[in-house]
Amino acid sequence: MNTLVVNGDGLIWILLLLFFLAFGVPIILFIIGLALRNKNKKASKALLIIATVYALIGLGICGSSMI
């Protein structure tokens, strides 16, 4: 069985976590919002707005802390 081994200090994992929080969660919410577009327009619109706001806040706070 193969395992993924990433050698390095904890800083790499913190940066990966920040990238996931800044980009991963809004992308997942956006995909779910698009999938619900045909079934429930109100829920879809809410998810797309939440994804946009989350991306703006995530890129603002997380992006500025990575500099």
Side-chain angles (χ1 to χ4, degrees):
M1 173 164 244
N2 294 335
T3 58
L4 177 65
V5 178
V6 178
N7 294 327
D9 54 356
L11 185 62
I12 293 172
W13 291 107
I14 292 173
L15 288 175
L16 286 175
L17 178 66
L18 288 175
F19 275 123
F20 176 74
L21 288 176
F23 294 110
V25 176
I27 290 172
I28 292 170
L29 287 173
F30 184 75
I31 291 171
I32 293 172
L34 288 179
L36 290 176
R37 189 82 173 151
N38 294 333
K39 295 178 184 177
N40 192 350
K41 287 202 178 260
K42 189 172 184 179
S44 172
K45 185 185 274 190
L47 279 174
L48 292 174
I49 290 171
I50 290 171
T52 304
V53 171
Y54 191 97
L56 290 174
I57 292 172
L59 290 174
I61 294 172
C62 293
S64 66
S65 67
M66 287 191 295
I67 292 177

